[in-house]
Amino acid sequence: MQRAKHLTRPMAGTALAGLAGTALALVSLSGTAMAQEILLEEIIVTAQKRVQNLQDVPVAISVVTGDQLEQANVNSAEQLFQRVPTITFRKGNTNKDSAISIRGVGTISFASGVEPSVSTVIDGVVYARAGQQTADFLDLERVEVLRGPQGSIFGKNASAGVVNITTRSPGATPKGFVEGSYYEGNEYRLKAGVSGPLSDKLSGLITGFFSHFDGNGKNVFNGHDVNGYERYGARMKLELEATENVSFTAIADYAKGNDNGYADSIGTVFAGAFNDQIFKPSLAPLTPGAKNKDIDNDLDPKTRDKNTGVSLQADIDLGDASITSITAYRHWYNYQQRDGDFRSDAPAYVATGVAASDARSHDRGDLSFDQFTQELRIASSGLNFIDYVAGLYYYTTKEVDFFNRTVTACTATTLAAVNGLLPCREGASTYVTQQGNADFTTKLKNYAAFGQATVNFTDDFRAILGGRYTEDKVSFDFERRSTSAAAFAGVRPYFAASGSTKQDGISGNAGIQYDFADDIIGYATYTRGYKGPALNVFFNMIATDTLPISEETSNAYEAGLKTRFPEAGLMLNLAAFKTVYDGYQANNLELVAGQVVTRLTNAGSVSTRGLEADFTWAATRDLEFNGGLSYTKARIDKFKCPTTTPTCADAINGKRLPFSAKWKGSVTADWRLPVDLPNGDLNLSNSVQFTSKQGFDINQNPNAVQDGYATWDAVLAWQSDDDKYRVSLIAKNITDKQYVILRIPNGTAFMRQITPRDAERYFGASVRVGF
């Protein structure tokens, strides 16, 4: 342990010195390579709960503007990886099971008693579940991705990072817009909004959207589309300048989604008696494989979501400081269904006895989730010997779930078909339908006090110190009713329980920041991360699942440089990092009566380390490059095996974490073409994104892997001189590169996978009219 400490501390200093040398070399090059000065636009962020210049914040942050996302046809959180290399979105069968990872770390769980590792914050309000942010992006100002633990300012569910989203505010003059887009595959989007002053002190904004996509696959059982959606919603924002020093912001939003996916298509099918005689023949309408996007299910995949919320923010300017209060309530409803046996003709006829347990399985469930949050903080006005932000936070949630699994299987008595189904074994079967139904409620309360101070010892040298005290209480009530007294095909028998856990936690950060020159800032920080306790509340829970999952802690070290070279039009930010997590909360896979179930546990110790770069280069006044590159080594250091497979660590220790590619990057070139057009400009934008090989299974199944790939998008747009009109032609994935965003084993039978919309070439057009 002493040796590890001595190794870690010089790492930050050595990295900082090396990065400083690189930046100073670039200063020399930039001064001789280009004499003209190109204005670099200042990037404003709220990463430390106050308005600051990106280049002044000692945190690794990727920033993408709303205009950049709209132009690139990036419409939701699951597409953010196309512009931010360090982020990964794990899309589940439903939005309930989705998750975001940063630097290879994220919580992937189906349990209702666990929170995400990456916090999503929209207009200052924490979204307690990743599935709450399922609607299209709407009228965004910017997206900030804060990389690494952010426990002092943002709290316990930011142990891997934060996605901080800010929407646009009402304009000072009346204005509005209408935008329509159409893409191949019958995908279309409509957006419209108006904003402006309503009185001398009150201004408002309202924006709405509607989007539709048929889908990129088919259910060959009935010819229905899959992997599509239909979504609509609106957001309203009111800003009131009550007095010279007091202002209020009220926000209300509503979004509804109807998705026919994401569907589990069949990839690799393994050899075996059951597969050879039953499963493979039943997939005759399909062609399983890496490029397969179709399914053969007698129950269509379906997800229904409704998200609503209101918030009120009050700001009081005291001169030397300001007080902010944010009160918010949010509601989320989710319904999901899927075919759990992944084919339409189960149970099937079997001449031999290999499929005695062959079964038809259908899953349906819904949840109702409510949260209330209250934050009260005070922040100094800046430019003091000590600048600070401090506050109190209260957070409570309640989730009510219902889940049904219906299974039809066979017994050994007769040859005759029952209810139109063939017998499973010649001379042997009648069909029996069994059901499991579970009702469970999970509640969470969280209290926290936090603060962070920056001590400005000189104009060039400062120290940062922050901390947060957190108190969590998680409780649950659970009852599963079953028509069978024994486990069957992924359903356990009757079980009921209730319980709770309570835990206090401390997180914090400390660091130094030094200005090597006017436009070169270096920093080195240590962060103690904390993620609260959890409960494994899910459909198949048993007595051992009532035991609480302990807290997850982390020690993070980071060194970075933030640089600007105005003579060269270049802004370059570099970061080196290392984070070690103990008590990592993750899922293990187990078999229950022949079907795979997942169990949340403290899976052991993991670590992530690497290098990152973000840049903006205005090569000329008409050509600008933006992008980022990350090298991440995220691995499992010491895995805690389930009792059913006590030797699994031999195959897992030292291996990569799932959803953690070693190399990721993106580059976008925006070029105002030298074409003389009346009343407007012609702009060409090209974006290339690439990722190296990554796995999806913590148990390291060699088939649950996506090889490295790159995609290329382009947009050709005409924009009028007064910015009122824009016409765009869009090409996505020009090289038609196929890839999946999820590939996981279904026991030893086959691999199932999810293919996103952007894993194919398609074209579209968009028209925007402002008024």
Side-chain angles (χ1 to χ4, degrees):
M1 293 301 293
Q2 289 296 321
R3 184 180 180 184
K5 288 183 181 178
H6 289 304
L7 287 172
T8 304
R9 289 176 179 171
M11 182 278 295
T14 302
L16 186 58
L19 295 174
T22 302
L24 292 171
L26 285 170
V27 170
S28 176
L29 288 173
S30 66
T32 59
M34 186 175 294
Q36 64 174 338
E37 182 173 332
I38 301 171
L39 181 64
L40 286 172
E41 183 178 355
E42 186 180 61
I43 300 175
I44 299 299
V45 297
T46 54
Q48 295 188 321
K49 298 288 181 89
R50 49 184 170 175
V51 176
Q52 293 175 288
N53 187 325
L54 170 67
Q55 298 306 100
D56 295 334
V57 182
V59 177
I61 308 172
S62 299
V63 181
V64 188
T65 67
D67 289 338
Q68 290 171 332
L69 294 173
E70 289 177 1
Q71 181 172 289
N73 193 34
V74 174
N75 299 293
S76 62
E78 65 189 73
Q79 295 175 300
L80 268 179
F81 74 92
Q82 297 178 10
R83 299 301 296 250
V84 182
T86 54
I87 200 169
T88 301
F89 192 92
R90 191 268 195 195
K91 183 70 176 181
N93 298 112
T94 79
N95 297 317
K96 172 181 177 290
D97 305 325
S98 299
I100 298 175
S101 298
I102 294 179
R103 291 176 172 173
V105 176
T107 299
I108 302 168
S109 177
F110 306 107
S112 64
V114 63
E115 295 184 287
S117 299
V118 177
S119 182
T120 300
V121 181
I122 301 182
D123 290 327
V125 178
V126 173
Y127 283 45
R129 296 288 187 267
Q132 289 177 277
Q133 179 45 46
T134 56
D136 288 8
F137 285 153
L138 185 60
D139 222 10
L140 300 190
E141 181 68 30
R142 66 184 177 276
V143 176
E144 307 166 19
V145 178
L146 286 62
R147 311 190 295 264
Q150 308 292 326
S152 293
I153 299 295
F154 285 96
K156 63 189 176 62
N157 57 353
S159 59
V162 175
V163 178
N164 188 31
I165 298 174
T166 302
T167 64
R168 290 192 176 102
S169 293
T173 58
K175 61 180 180 179
F177 77 94
V178 176
E179 181 178 322
S181 307
Y182 184 82
Y183 304 90
E184 287 185 289
N186 198 31
E187 177 186 7
Y188 52 87
R189 300 177 179 277
L190 299 172
K191 295 181 181 180
V194 293
S195 73
L198 301 175
S199 69
D200 292 342
K201 296 185 176 182
L202 181 66
S203 58
L205 174 152
I206 184 166
T207 310
F209 75 94
F210 179 88
S211 58
H212 172 92
F213 174 45
D214 284 352
N216 64 0
K218 290 285 185 182
N219 185 354
V220 299
F221 173 72
N222 52 25
H224 294 170
D225 296 313
V226 294
N227 293 343
Y229 54 80
E230 187 168 280
R231 302 167 185 163
Y232 56 89
R235 175 183 290 114
M236 180 183 69
K237 181 182 285 191
L238 296 174
E239 294 185 349
L240 173 65
E241 297 292 334
T243 70
E244 184 179 353
N245 300 319
V246 179
S247 63
F248 297 92
T249 301
I251 302 174
D253 64 87
Y254 173 89
K256 191 170 184 178
N258 301 293
D259 295 9
N260 56 11
Y262 279 83
D264 274 315
S265 59
I266 305 299
T268 305
V269 180
F270 305 116
F274 173 80
N275 282 355
D276 293 342
Q277 298 185 42
I278 304 301
F279 196 75
K280 290 180 182 179
S282 73
L283 296 176
L286 293 175
T287 305
K291 295 185 178 181
N292 176 40
K293 291 179 283 189
D294 296 334
I295 63 174
D296 181 18
N297 292 173
D298 50 55
L299 181 67
D300 282 328
K302 182 185 297 185
T303 300
R304 300 286 184 263
D305 282 283
K306 183 173 71 173
N307 272 288
T308 58
V310 292
S311 67
L312 178 64
Q313 177 172 330
D315 294 286
I316 304 174
D317 186 355
L318 303 176
D320 293 335
S322 62
I323 294 176
T324 299
S325 169
I326 302 178
T327 307
Y329 165 77
R330 298 206 60 81
H331 173 76
W332 173 38
Y333 173 79
N334 172 271
Y335 169 82
Q336 67 276 346
Q337 68 179 39
R338 72 161 191 162
D339 189 321
D341 57 86
F342 308 102
R343 66 196 202 278
S344 64
D345 63 349
Y349 176 85
V350 187
T352 66
V354 299
S357 62
D358 189 26
R360 171 182 294 164
S361 179
H362 290 168
D363 294 342
R364 296 178 176 87
D366 61 31
L367 69 85
S368 179
F369 182 83
D370 295 275
Q371 71 170 73
F372 173 82
T373 57
Q374 173 64 59
E375 182 174 0
L376 180 65
R377 65 176 185 266
I378 184 170
S380 63
S381 58
L383 303 177
N384 302 303
F385 176 67
I386 298 179
D387 294 324
Y388 63 87
V389 58
L392 301 172
Y393 188 74
Y394 173 71
Y395 163 70
T396 181
T397 69
K398 179 180 179 180
E399 180 173 329
V400 179
D401 290 82
F402 168 78
F403 189 88
N404 165 268
R405 176 164 289 168
T406 301
V407 176
T408 300
C410 53
T411 59
T413 57
T414 180
L415 178 63
V418 178
N419 296 328
L421 301 176
L422 292 174
C424 285
R425 184 184 299 171
E426 187 173 0
S429 281
T430 57
Y431 284 84
V432 175
T433 296
Q434 305 278 17
Q435 287 193 37
N437 295 283
D439 291 287
F440 43 103
T441 299
T442 310
K443 298 179 181 179
L444 167 68
K445 285 189 177 181
N446 167 252
Y447 305 87
F450 64 91
Q452 181 171 296
T454 300
V455 183
N456 299 292
F457 293 112
T458 69
D459 290 342
D460 299 326
F461 178 68
R462 58 200 65 89
I464 304 102
L465 182 65
R468 190 179 189 103
Y469 169 79
T470 298
E471 180 181 290
D472 288 302
K473 182 178 180 180
V474 189
S475 62
F476 78 95
D477 289 290
F478 179 90
E479 183 182 24
R480 181 180 57 247
R481 302 167 302 280
S482 175
T483 57
S484 172
F488 62 93
V491 181
R492 288 190 165 102
Y494 178 86
F495 178 74
S498 62
S500 64
T501 183
K502 186 176 181 180
Q503 181 71 47
D504 298 336
I506 298 291
S507 56
N509 63 304
I512 56 173
Q513 185 176 348
Y514 184 75
D515 301 349
F516 294 99
D518 288 344
D519 293 311
I520 302 178
I521 296 174
Y523 67 90
T525 59
Y526 162 78
T527 301
R528 171 69 171 180
Y530 173 81
K531 186 168 182 287
L535 289 167
N536 193 29
V537 186
F538 72 120
F539 172 66
N540 262 311
M541 75 179 301
I542 54 178
T544 54
D545 294 312
T546 63
L547 301 175
I549 309 298
S550 300
E551 70 275 11
E552 175 186 292
T553 61
S554 60
N555 293 294
Y557 305 86
E558 181 172 305
L561 282 174
K562 299 204 168 185
T563 66
R564 286 167 55 94
F565 310 119
E567 298 85 357
L570 177 65
M571 182 167 65
L572 175 65
N573 295 336
L574 306 170
F577 65 90
K578 176 183 178 181
T579 307
V580 178
Y581 292 83
D582 291 319
Y584 185 62
Q585 296 174 358
N587 271 332
N588 279 327
L589 301 181
E590 296 183 18
L591 286 176
V592 175
Q595 288 207 1
V596 176
V597 299
T598 59
R599 171 166 287 106
L600 183 70
T601 184
N602 292 113
S605 299
V606 304
S607 62
T608 178
R609 68 199 74 192
L611 300 170
E612 299 164 339
D614 293 283
F615 69 91
T616 296
W617 179 34
T620 71
R621 296 187 184 278
D622 297 325
L623 178 61
E624 181 174 294
F625 296 89
N626 293 275
L629 176 67
S630 69
Y631 168 82
T632 305
K633 187 176 181 181
R635 70 178 187 182
I636 302 163
D637 296 322
K638 188 176 181 181
F639 193 75
K640 182 180 178 181
C641 296
T643 55
T644 53
T645 53
T647 62
C648 75
D650 296 336
I652 295 176
N653 286 347
K655 299 296 178 64
R656 294 189 63 81
L657 276 172
F659 302 94
S660 63
K662 184 177 290 186
W663 289 97
K664 296 183 74 176
S666 66
V667 179
T668 298
D670 294 309
W671 182 26
R672 185 169 64 182
L673 298 175
V675 178
D676 188 14
L677 294 177
N679 304 318
D681 294 318
L682 195 63
N683 299 280
L684 177 63
S685 177
N686 282 276
S687 298
V688 175
Q689 309 88 32
F690 65 90
T691 181
S692 62
K693 179 180 178 181
Q694 65 177 324
F696 302 112
D697 178 24
I698 199 169
N699 295 295
Q700 307 298 314
N701 189 303
N703 296 286
V705 172
Q706 169 62 58
D707 291 332
Y709 63 92
T711 60
W712 170 29
D713 305 330
V715 179
L716 180 65
W718 173 82
Q719 182 130 353
S720 64
D721 291 333
D722 58 9
D723 293 336
K724 287 188 176 181
Y725 304 96
R726 186 177 72 204
V727 179
S728 304
L729 301 177
I730 301 122
K732 297 286 289 184
N733 197 349
I734 295 172
T735 58
D736 199 24
K737 181 61 181 179
Q738 191 275 337
Y739 60 92
V740 299
I741 55 173
L742 183 65
R743 181 177 284 134
I744 55 177
N746 198 70
T748 59
F750 59 91
M751 303 297 301
R752 47 193 176 99
Q753 60 197 25
I754 291 178
T755 304
R757 160 63 160 152
D758 291 335
E760 62 182 346
R761 178 173 51 232
Y762 63 97
F763 301 94
S766 177
V767 177
R768 183 184 177 100
V769 178
F771 53 87

